[in-house]
Amino acid sequence: RGRDLLTMTAEKPAAAPPSTPSQKARPRWLRWFTWIAPILLAVTIALPCWIWFTQGGTQTALAWVPGLSVTKWQGSLSGQFSAELLILDLGPGERIQLEHLQGQGLRPGWVNNTPTHWFKLFIANLSIERIRVQWPTSTEPAQKPATLVLPLEIELATFSVGRLEVPGLEKFPISALAGAVHLNAERGAKHQIQIQHAQIERIQLSAKADIGSASPFSLHAQAALSSPAQAQPALPAWAAQMQAKGSLERLQADVKLKALKEHTPGRPKLFLPPWGAEPVLPVPGGAEEQALTASLELSPFDAFVLKQVQAQTQNLNLQAILGNLPDTALSGTAQLVADGDKKPMSLKLDLRNTR
């Protein structure tokens, strides 16, 4: 028995079986990734939701926008929202100021099969009490843009602006402005603007325009204007229509205006015909003895924007168009031609004022 005990003691212990790959310790970076990945995924989902669905998140996101300042923001982008004042500084002397803004129905979305953009923003309704636009005055001609394509599509179904003030029209602010805008429409090919109603002093207007987003920036536009009869001083009602076609580089515009000879209560009804149709000018009963027809050629990016004007008038009262113009009864023709960018313009007038 002692010999067996000695033999057992002298025997070597059996070697441990080799470890399999599954039993090896994982690399440290993999362990860290296993912990961090869920956190990153949660933040990626939670951050957009926080910005979109909460007032604090929306305010924080707006504060990140360069040049944008917002006063008294209320609500979130997912529902109804409002701000007392929103100011966007675009550069030296360039500013857009929005006062008492309210909106709702903001929806983001993806756009497929478009070469220009992949994101769309839809806004059901936006109302602004007043918009003030500022930019520095310059005697230099406007510079032609390289492109008008935007990085995203924006569709504003309805908008209203109580008062619009832009440089050069301080004496004629636009009020009661309402319409719709679709930027980067038709897969980024054009921008569409429709003005259902606007007021400039006594003048009421509606308009629509399609502008190409790529050079030469094709343009088709129509506008209908009207003014009611006025008792003091006695001014007739009138209606006018304008059509413009071409491009932002070279534009042809036609204007037709008709007015009543005598003061007749009421306002002509605004009417926008289909593209290319002859303008129709419905006016209240009475003799249409005041008239203006004009054809204009414009080059917005040249030193002389107005290249040519040809006009014919019949008993036209300028005061009926704008109250601060003189009381007239003009009949005749006028021709204005610009011969190059640096030469003076030539003007030929054959007008008679019988008042």
Side-chain angles (χ1 to χ4, degrees), residues 112-132:
N112 297 322
N113 301 321
T114 56
T116 59
H117 62 283
W118 48 266
F119 187 74
K120 178 178 179 178
L121 200 59
F122 174 85
I123 307 173
N125 181 51
L126 187 66
S127 64
I128 305 169
E129 186 174 300
R130 178 160 59 178
I131 298 179
R132 292 180 176 177

Side-chain angles (χ1 to χ4, degrees), residues 17-281:
S19 60
T20 61
S22 61
Q23 294 175 325
K24 290 182 179 180
R26 291 180 297 178
R28 180 175 298 177
W29 68 267
L30 184 59
R31 295 199 305 269
W32 278 101
F33 180 78
T34 305
W35 283 96
I36 294 176
I39 299 175
L40 293 176
L41 180 62
V43 171
T44 302
I45 297 174
L47 183 60
C49 292
W50 176 63
I51 293 174
W52 192 258
F53 292 104
T54 68
Q55 178 173 317
T58 300
Q59 288 177 313
T60 303
L62 293 175
W64 293 340
V65 180
L68 180 66
S69 62
V70 183
T71 303
K72 293 186 178 180
W73 176 270
Q74 297 290 331
S76 65
L77 296 177
S78 62
Q80 295 183 348
F81 54 88
S82 64
E84 183 178 291
L85 182 63
L86 190 148
I87 298 176
L88 181 61
D89 285 317
L90 303 174
E94 298 182 5
R95 168 182 287 194
I96 301 176
Q97 180 173 311
L98 311 179
E99 300 178 9
H100 300 287
L101 175 146
Q102 292 183 340
Q104 63 179 358
L106 184 63
R107 298 198 307 268
W110 303 105
V111 180
N112 297 322
N113 301 321
T114 56
T116 59
H117 62 283
W118 48 266
F119 187 74
K120 178 178 179 178
L121 200 59
F122 174 85
I123 307 173
N125 181 51
L126 187 66
S127 64
I128 305 169
E129 186 174 300
R130 178 160 59 178
I131 298 179
R132 292 180 176 177
V133 181
Q134 299 177 4
W135 61 68
T137 57
S138 175
T139 57
E140 297 295 325
Q143 297 296 316
K144 176 186 173 182
T147 180
L148 294 178
V149 176
L150 300 178
L152 75 162
E153 182 177 346
I154 301 175
E155 184 177 359
L156 180 54
T158 60
F159 74 87
S160 61
V161 178
R163 185 181 176 93
L164 174 62
E165 301 174 4
V166 296
L169 295 176
E170 291 85 359
K171 295 183 179 180
F172 306 104
I174 302 171
S175 60
L177 179 63
V181 175
H182 194 173
L183 305 179
N184 267 16
E186 298 186 9
R187 302 181 61 197
K190 63 176 63 176
H191 306 304
Q192 298 174 332
I193 303 171
Q194 183 170 3
I195 305 299
Q196 298 170 349
H197 178 274
Q199 189 88 22
I200 305 175
E201 287 194 333
R202 296 182 297 110
I203 301 174
Q204 208 176 79
L205 71 91
S206 63
K208 60 182 179 181
D210 288 355
I211 305 173
S213 58
S215 182
F217 312 111
S218 61
L219 174 65
H220 295 276
Q222 284 181 300
L225 302 89
S226 71
S227 178
Q230 183 174 313
Q232 293 295 332
L235 297 174
W238 60 267
Q241 286 196 355
M242 304 179 185
Q243 295 197 23
K245 60 182 179 179
S247 69
L248 291 183
E249 298 178 358
R250 202 77 172 184
L251 189 63
Q252 181 73 33
D254 296 309
V255 181
K256 292 188 177 183
L257 180 147
K258 291 183 179 180
L260 302 179
K261 180 179 180 181
E262 304 295 340
H263 166 73
T264 303
R267 176 190 291 275
K269 183 180 179 181
L270 293 180
F271 173 72
L272 281 177
W275 292 118
E278 182 68 17
V280 179
L281 300 173

